[in-house]
Amino acid sequence: QVQLVESGGGSVQTGGSLRLSCAASTYHVSRRYVGWFRQAPGKEREGVAVIGRLSGSTIYADSVKGRFTVSRDDAMTTVYLQMNNLKPEDTAMYYCAAGSSYKLSVNFFDYWGQGTQVTVSS
């Protein structure tokens, strides 16, 4: 069973950057795709980006295109989310998740990390 751990969250000013990491606890991962999702207070959880762990193919939400980049390491056990030009509306708890479908939807992901908080001020 795959286990995921997020890290890299924090507080930054508008226009700043953060890099989030999502590490699998074992090489024996059981899902083909890794997604980044976020949830702000009072709002539903929404998809940010998805990457194929083996293929490297990516999907981005329109709200983050041109600012965020999802990538993977050579071992295909860690996925990153590089976030540039951050805006206050990016403030949310960010989660990584593993799933079996190449879709930017929470419905297709069944293993979730604990989340890491991102706060953008100004």
Side-chain angles (χ1 to χ4, degrees):
Q1 181 175 320
V2 65
Q3 293 179 299
L4 305 172
V5 179
E6 304 97 332
S7 62
S11 298
V12 297
Q13 298 271 25
T14 297
S17 297
L18 286 172
R19 190 192 193 197
L20 307 183
S21 298
C22 175
S25 62
T26 177
Y27 288 119
H28 303 289
V29 293
S30 59
R31 297 294 183 267
R32 190 174 299 174
Y33 304 100
V34 176
W36 285 99
F37 301 82
R38 65 187 183 186
Q39 188 166 22
K43 299 185 66 177
E44 295 184 347
R45 190 168 298 184
E46 63 177 354
V48 176
V50 172
I51 187 168
R53 193 173 60 82
L54 300 178
S55 69
S57 299
T58 57
I59 306 172
Y60 294 96
D62 288 341
S63 59
V64 306
K65 284 182 178 178
R67 300 189 298 121
F68 291 10
T69 303
V70 63
S71 61
R72 59 182 180 173
D73 68 358
D74 290 340
M76 297 180 288
T77 56
T78 303
V79 172
Y80 305 95
L81 185 68
Q82 179 67 47
M83 305 185 295
N84 297 325
N85 192 24
L86 284 161
K87 305 174 181 179
E89 51 262 43
D90 295 318
T91 296
M93 182 72 73
Y94 283 70
Y95 301 89
C96 66
S100 299
S101 296
Y102 188 57
K103 299 288 174 57
L104 193 59
S105 170
V106 298
N107 297 329
F108 300 98
F109 293 82
D110 51 356
Y111 293 97
W112 294 81
Q114 84 287 353
T116 185
Q117 179 68 38
V118 172
T119 302
V120 185
S121 62
S122 185

